[in-house]
Every structure is written in structure tokens, then in C-alpha cells.
Amino acid sequence: VARLCVCDLLVAECDTNCCCDPDCATADFSLFTTCSVPIVTGDGHLCSQKAAVYALDVDANPPERIFELIDQVNPSVFCIHSTNYKQALSFSFPEMPTSENFDELLKRFGSAAFRAEPDDWNMDTHPSDANETYRYEYGVPVQTADAFLRLPSPVVSSWCSDANPAGFLVNQATKCTRLVSVEKCVNIEAVSMLFYVNSSILAVPKSSQMVNITVQSVVVQSQNGTRTLLNGSDVLRLPVILDELCINIVLGVSYHITYTDAGEIIEAAASFVLGAINKEALSIQQSFEISFTQANTQPVPLSGNPGYVVGLPIRAGFRPQGYPFPADILFAAFNTNKYNQLTILQSTSSQDCLAAQGARMPVLFGYNMISGCTLRITAAMQCQPLTRTLLDLLKGQNFPEYVASFGNSQAQDVLDWVPIIHLHISEQSDNDRISNALQSSCQIPVSLEIEVKWTKYGSLVNPQARIVNVTATIATITLKQLPSGRERTIPVTSSVVFTDISSPAEPGYKAWPTINAKLPFDFFFPFV
């Protein structure tokens, strides 16, 4: 760093106020007013490095330059201890294509995905231990007998690349385009069921225990889009050319992996969607999906981990009768919602409340929502049945009692669930009450307003959304008895409002220390 000088721009001349310029003499320094570059360092990602510090002693006569070489420590949590890979310190000169090496370069770099590191780069720096117990960890590629479980995906363009590995516990869904033709369909591996089930999965990495991929279901899609579930799905259906059509082409694959809490894969299944192409087809779009479920557990979709993610449903449920005895009874799902979500009335194109019964939509975190319909009331309608119908319309058949405070709250963690507060308001004046006592009238609910109060929880660097209060307010109006033959139309509405009640840190308040642990964008260069 003592030889580095970014402000040295003039050749064989002293640059003004450039204290590191080797062309400057003592007489030149006496004319400087400041050092334009007070400190010179190397790679800022290093944990410890030398730094050249430059300053001017204006009290001296004449003023003179002060140079000091110090050890600088990087306070970041993510820093490089030593640069032991020397090739990464400079850009490598690219190999220029020639007539002799063109075929070799095309083979290495011509596909949609290729290896950027040299073949002699050995990343295994730790000796293997024969007694080490292996297990799958999050994100580790699921290994097979020949390589890894492939989940084709688009890389550079929309074309499918089969080099994308499926990561353990990483639920993925991809779509990509693949070139096909009727004449060659039987020879294209990626459109055959055998390509996706012919390799067994390793139960744990580097083991000899294998788990076969079984065919769970096969659905055949006709050319007009109609789908039919086939019986006897355990039979592989390979591509066949029939009457200028190629049938049994794989259009979609869905893997389902079952694992244990010890990180061991115990079961693997695949579901297929097969279709057909004609001679005019040049390409097909394939969809791929993979999901993971822990053994002896019931999969429940999460809405964040741990805090809620904007746009995902609010999780809800109610406490079973007799809770907490017995203790193994958990929060139960209510009947009309298998995903344990808070829902509101869904608007329909007809805007008819009676036609909208049963139509619900989930409340999405962070989204203020409003929906509604119109109800036509006749003189023949009775008060009590009408009130029950409107309550079922606004709240659903089984309105939940609790919502999850976090997106990943578990049913057995009772303190992680927030009770819903129910309020009722009546839109009538004192004169209306006196009038209602003298004549026949009916109180009917016309609106449901849900207010969700949430706060930012945890570190200031990475705050998590946490629900702390939910209020459901039913508003009623007074409906007077209609004369015979008369009708009245009233609006019925549902709304959801989200309120952020996070309070900023007070001045002088001593909070827990936080670390800005964000990685630099080029921290892993030249690694991928």
C-alpha cells in the first residue's frame, strides 16, 4: 500500500495535494493545503491489512508531510482472513478461440450452463472421516446414484437446463421450454418418464442406502387441455409415435420427498402430466415442482419464517373444546378452510349477496381489502333467518377465534396465537330507539371490519412482522317492517385494514447492540 497512489496522474511531475506522489519533494509538500487521499488501503474485504496514512503538519515551518504505515482491522462480521487463492487477485486472460481449439471451447462453454472454475480446483480441503455421520442439511443438493436429483429450469433464456440440482428442503417450482419434434421424440430423454425416475436417491449423502423414486400418479392431458387421471400409475408410459402424433410426452413433473428429523430421506414419489404433440409443434413448455414433508407430521403452509411476508395469507384457527386437556389436542382447522386462513366475503360479478354465499377469499398480510354485495329485502323476509344468513355471509360458517402472531407459528405454541376481539356497533340514534320500541323492527348486520395491528419485531437490521392484535367489528342497522309488496336494497360490505403500530427507538434509549451483517455484493468473487 505504500507504493499505491491513486492521485498520481502526472508523469514525472508532482500532483497538487497528492501526498503519496513519489514525484513530490519536501518543497512541494510545504505548498500543500491538504492531502486529497488521506489513507490508502488494499482489499476492503480483508479482516486485517496494512494501511498507508498521509497527513500534513501545518504547525511545522515550513509545513511537512506525515507518513505512517498502520495495521487496519475490518469490523465487519464477514471478512476474508487470507487470500490463499492467488488466481482470484487478478483477472485471468481469456483463451482466444482459434481454429485448433474452437471445438474444445464450444464443448466447454456452448451449453446454457457450464462450470466456471478450473477442473484442478479441489475444494475438498478437509480429510474425510470414515466415522463421520452424514445427513442432509438445508440447501444441499439431493444426491443420486449417478449425480444429483435434477429439477430442470431456465438459465440464460427460457430453454430448459437439466443442470439445476434440487436443494434439500428448498421447495421449488419452475417452467421452461424444450425443443421437440415428432420424428425425434422417442430419442429425447427429457420428455420420457424414465429420465426422472431411473436414478435412486441417496438416503443420506455419501451413503450406499438408496431410495427409489416411485410413480405416484399419471395424468394425461389432451390437446384441448382436458386432463384425465389414469389407473395403474405404476406403469411407465414411454413416448410413442402414433398417427403423426407423439404421445406420452412429459409436460410436468412434481416430486414429493419425505424426510426424517435426522436429515434422512426415506421416501420419494413423482407425479407426471403427460401430453401429445403433432408435427407442427417445435417446442413444449414443461413445469417442474418439488416439495418436502417431514415424516409423521401434517404439512401446513407457512406465511413467513418467522415474520409474516406481505401478500401471504394470515393463518388462523380456533381452540378445540376441552383445551388444554388433553394436552395433545392442538389448534384445529375450521371446516370451510383447509389451509387455516382468515377469510372475508368474496365479491362476485352479480353483486348478489344470496348468490355469493360460500365464496370466500383469504386475508393477505399487508393488503387493505374491501368487498361487498347487495341484498334485496322483501316484506316476506323474517328477521331471525335474515340475521343468521347475513352473519354467515360476513363471517363464514366457522369464523376463527385466533390468528397466528408469526407466519410460522406452530399449533402447539399457544402463546404464539392472538385471540380475535369481537365488537358490535349499532348505527341508530336515540330517536330511532324510541321509534323502534313503538313499532316492529329488526337489527341486521351489514358490515364486518377487521383491523389487524402489527409491529416490527427483532433486529433493526432485519425486522420481522408480528401481529399483536386483531379486532372484528360487526355493524348493524335497524330495518323497519316493510309494507306488503315493497322492496329495499341494502349494501353489505367486508373490509380489512392493517395498522403498523411500531414505535421508533426513543432518543437516549440503550437498545441491544445490532450488527450490520449484510454481505458485499462481490464478497464471493470469483466464487459462484
Side-chain angles (χ1 to χ4, degrees):
V1 291
R3 297 193 301 269
L4 297 177
C5 190
V6 295
C7 58
D8 183 10
L9 305 179
L10 300 177
V11 180
E13 292 185 32
C14 178
D15 291 81
T16 305
N17 290 339
C18 184
C19 296
C20 58
D21 191 346
D23 298 321
C24 297
T26 304
D28 298 318
F29 294 137
S30 64
L31 301 177
F32 286 5
T33 58
T34 184
C35 290
S36 59
V37 181
I39 183 170
V40 179
T41 60
D43 189 353
H45 297 154
L46 293 175
C47 299
S48 178
Q49 61 176 322
K50 294 290 184 180
V53 180
Y54 300 92
L56 288 177
D57 185 3
V58 294
D59 296 331
N61 189 16
E64 58 184 32
R65 182 195 70 166
I66 302 175
F67 168 73
E68 187 179 5
L69 199 62
I70 64 172
D71 291 322
Q72 190 178 56
V73 177
N74 187 353
S76 174
V77 176
F78 300 104
C79 59
I80 299 175
H81 180 68
S82 62
T83 54
N84 53 1
Y85 183 58
K86 301 301 180 182
Q87 299 180 34
L89 300 180
S90 60
F91 291 101
S92 59
F93 186 75
E95 187 176 359
M96 300 301 296
T98 62
S99 58
E100 289 78 15
N101 65 0
F102 181 82
D103 293 336
E104 180 185 354
L105 294 178
L106 182 64
K107 183 179 179 180
R108 288 172 55 190
F109 305 110
S111 61
F114 53 83
R115 292 169 57 90
E117 66 270 15
D119 294 334
D120 57 352
W121 188 358
N122 186 11
M123 296 298 295
D124 188 11
T125 58
H126 302 282
S128 59
D129 187 358
N131 297 324
E132 182 178 358
T133 301
Y134 293 102
R135 56 176 292 176
Y136 279 109
E137 296 181 352
Y138 177 83
V140 173
V142 177
Q143 298 181 12
T144 60
D146 52 357
F148 51 79
L149 183 62
R150 297 177 176 87
L151 196 72
S153 65
V155 181
V156 179
S157 61
S158 61
W159 301 110
C160 293
S161 170
D162 298 324
N164 178 45
F168 184 66
L169 297 186
V170 180
N171 294 335
Q172 299 183 64
T174 62
K175 289 184 179 181
C176 55
T177 305
R178 195 179 299 274
L179 288 173
V180 293
S181 65
V182 172
E183 295 80 7
K184 301 179 180 179
C185 69
V186 294
N187 298 322
I188 302 176
E189 291 184 338
V191 299
S192 171
M193 290 179 59
L194 187 62
F195 180 73
Y196 302 98
V197 298
N198 65 346
S199 184
S200 300
I201 294 177
L202 272 60
V204 293
K206 302 181 180 180
S207 72
S208 57
Q209 184 179 356
M210 301 292 180
V211 177
N212 295 327
I213 302 176
T214 61
V215 179
Q216 191 173 43
S217 64
V218 177
V219 174
V220 175
Q221 177 176 301
S222 63
Q223 290 188 300
N224 61 4
T226 304
R227 293 190 174 187
T228 304
L229 178 64
L230 298 182
N231 296 325
S233 58
D234 55 340
V235 179
L236 291 180
R237 298 177 179 270
L238 303 181
V240 177
I241 300 177
L242 182 64
D243 296 334
E244 299 185 350
L245 293 176
C246 185
I247 62 175
N248 297 333
I249 293 289
V250 173
L251 301 180
V253 183
S254 179
Y255 289 108
H256 186 76
I257 309 297
T258 305
Y259 67 96
T260 66
D261 54 359
E264 177 184 357
I265 295 177
I266 60 175
E267 187 177 340
S271 301
F272 291 88
V273 176
L274 305 181
I277 59 171
N278 52 29
K279 285 190 174 182
E280 287 75 21
L282 301 178
S283 63
I284 59 172
Q285 185 181 62
Q286 293 180 306
S287 61
F288 301 93
E289 186 176 353
I290 186 170
S291 59
F292 295 83
T293 301
Q294 186 174 338
N296 301 321
T297 61
Q298 182 178 1
V300 177
L302 302 181
S303 296
N305 189 20
Y308 275 99
V309 176
V310 174
L312 294 184
I314 291 183
R315 304 175 63 234
F318 62 90
R319 182 175 295 188
Q321 294 182 358
Y323 188 88
F325 304 103
D328 57 346
I329 298 181
L330 307 179
F331 280 82
F334 43 95
N335 299 335
T336 58
N337 193 345
K338 63 180 180 179
Y339 296 114
N340 303 2
Q341 298 168 358
L342 183 64
T343 62
I344 63 171
L345 168 69
Q346 182 177 1
S347 299
T348 60
S349 57
S350 63
Q351 295 296 311
D352 185 1
C353 288
L354 298 181
Q357 282 185 298
R360 313 288 296 176
M361 61 180 177
V363 175
L364 306 180
F365 182 82
Y367 285 6
N368 295 338
M369 308 167 67
I370 186 170
S371 62
C373 59
T374 57
L375 179 65
R376 190 180 62 179
I377 300 176
T378 63
M381 288 186 175
Q382 298 181 1
C383 179
Q384 294 300 328
L386 179 60
T387 301
R388 287 195 299 267
T389 299
L390 288 176
L391 279 178
D392 291 342
L393 183 69
L394 291 172
K395 301 176 66 174
Q397 293 184 3
N398 288 297
F399 194 76
E401 299 175 354
Y402 296 83
V403 298
S405 58
F406 292 101
N408 66 344
S409 297
Q410 299 298 313
Q412 61 269 24
D413 299 331
V414 181
L415 297 180
D416 266 1
W417 294 78
V418 178
I420 299 177
I421 301 174
H422 295 271
L423 300 177
H424 292 81
I425 59 175
S426 178
E427 299 179 359
Q428 64 176 348
S429 61
D430 293 338
N431 294 331
D432 291 333
R433 292 189 181 94
I434 297 174
S435 176
N436 294 340
L438 299 177
Q439 57 180 323
S440 176
S441 62
C442 180
Q443 290 279 338
I444 61 172
V446 293
S447 70
L448 168 65
E449 180 181 345
I450 300 175
E451 183 182 17
V452 181
K453 295 180 180 179
W454 65 280
T455 183
K456 298 181 180 70
Y457 179 84
S459 168
L460 296 176
V461 178
N462 185 25
Q464 302 294 307
R466 176 186 184 183
I467 294 177
V468 296
N469 180 270
V470 178
T471 303
T473 303
I474 291 286
T476 61
I477 63 171
T478 301
L479 181 64
K480 299 178 181 180
Q481 180 66 39
L482 295 176
S484 178
R486 297 286 299 274
E487 293 183 354
R488 181 181 175 184
T489 301
I490 60 172
V492 179
T493 60
S494 294
S495 63
V496 181
V497 177
F498 287 84
T499 305
D500 183 3
I501 61 172
S502 303
S503 58
E506 299 178 3
Y509 176 74
K510 186 177 181 181
W512 289 102
T514 58
I515 298 175
N516 187 357
K518 185 178 181 180
L519 283 170
F521 73 96
D522 59 345
F523 178 78
F524 289 107
F525 179 83
F527 307 101
V528 177

